[in-house]
């Protein structure tokens, strides 16, 4: 089958699916909490005889992964908590009073692994994160209200007790201080 025929079919299918796409985004915008992630994909750039980098955006609700142009466009009416990795594209959402960013613990942890040799406090943070993971493992499978209560009782105390010691008075000089992941750990 000719490539142009397949491309035409995909374009027509996308047109027919536009109402479903719009309905899903409207439904997601009514959620009090969303999770977002992005990934890069190669996109053919025929005029240049090579590929360029495109992005796929995924939004999920209720801790389940699902699939999804620009998150600012998709989520323009969303208010609530947006759980994200450390991609700088999400930082603009945190500037408004309508969206509160919740950063992925695994991505934040990676930033501390990268600086543990030069910042001794990073080792303490990694121990605390391991303790938080242990709590999560214990409450795995419990209903949401029980997990929330356990987090408020145990995890919040663990984080609150040492939060001040996790942030040094001034940042140590590093080659990538301005990276999104480092920014997420501050």
């Amino acid at each position: 089958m000719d490539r142009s025929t397949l491309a035409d079919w995909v374009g027509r299918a996308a047109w027919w699916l536009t109402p479903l796409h719009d309905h899903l985004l409207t439904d997601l915008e009514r959620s009090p909490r969303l999770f977002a992630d992005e990934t890069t994909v190669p996109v053919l750039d025929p005029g240049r005889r090579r590929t360029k980098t495109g992005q796929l955006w995924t939004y999920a609700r209720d801790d389940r992964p699902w699939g999804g142009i620009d998150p600012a466009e998709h989520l323009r009416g969303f208010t609530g908590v947006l759980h994200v990795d450390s991609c700088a594209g999400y930082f603009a959402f945190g500037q408004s009073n309508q969206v509160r960013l919740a950063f992925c613990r695994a991505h934040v942890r990676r930033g501390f692994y990268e600086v543990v040799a030069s910042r001794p406090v990073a080792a303490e943070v990694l121990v605390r994160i391991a303790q938080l993971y242990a709590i999560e493992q214990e409450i795995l499978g419990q209903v949401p209200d029980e997990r929330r209560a356990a987090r408020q009782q145990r995890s919040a105390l663990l984080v609150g007790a040492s939060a001040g010691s996790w942030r040094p008075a001034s940042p140590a000089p590093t080659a990538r201080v301005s990276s999104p992941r480092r920014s997420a750990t501050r």
Side-chain angles (χ1 to χ4, degrees):
M1 183 174 294
D2 189 53
R3 182 185 301 174
S4 65
T5 301
L6 288 173
D8 183 57
W9 287 359
V10 168
R12 289 173 188 261
W15 183 85
W16 283 104
L17 292 171
T18 298
L20 176 61
H21 170 266
D22 294 344
H23 173 75
L24 287 172
L25 287 177
T26 300
D27 187 52
L28 285 171
E29 288 173 354
R30 289 193 297 254
S31 300
R33 177 180 56 253
L34 289 177
F35 300 85
D37 197 14
E38 81 294 327
T39 189
T40 58
V41 293
V43 178
L44 290 177
D45 193 1
R48 299 173 67 192
R49 303 179 69 76
R50 59 181 179 179
T51 61
K52 58 184 177 181
T53 301
Q55 287 189 314
L56 295 176
W57 298 91
T58 305
Y59 308 103
R61 161 178 57 211
D62 197 21
D63 302 320
R64 293 174 289 170
W66 299 92
I69 310 215
D70 177 25
E73 177 66 22
H74 280 164
L75 302 174
R76 69 178 165 257
F78 174 70
T79 59
V81 177
L82 182 62
H83 185 251
V84 300
D85 61 18
S86 58
C87 174
Y90 298 118
F91 293 173
F93 286 103
Q95 302 302 314
S96 78
N97 291 331
Q98 296 178 326
V99 176
R100 204 171 89 211
L101 296 178
F103 290 97
C104 168
R105 191 179 300 145
H107 285 86
V108 170
R109 181 182 65 172
R110 190 178 309 146
F112 286 106
Y113 273 113
E114 291 175 358
V115 298
V116 73
S118 63
R119 295 182 124 174
V121 72
E124 178 189 340
V125 173
L126 292 172
V127 168
R128 299 287 183 173
I129 291 173
Q131 292 170 334
L132 292 170
Y133 276 121
I135 293 169
E136 290 298 316
Q137 186 64 36
E138 290 176 29
I139 64 176
L140 185 66
Q142 295 179 9
V143 296
D145 288 339
E146 291 174 2
R147 290 195 317 264
R148 185 180 308 108
R151 289 175 182 137
Q152 288 172 346
Q153 181 183 17
R154 298 170 61 195
S155 299
L157 291 174
L158 181 64
V159 172
S162 59
S165 67
W166 291 10
R167 296 175 187 246
S170 61
T174 62
R176 298 180 339 151
V177 166
S178 63
S179 77
R181 187 177 307 124
R182 282 240 169 57
S183 298
T185 63
R186 295 184 184 228

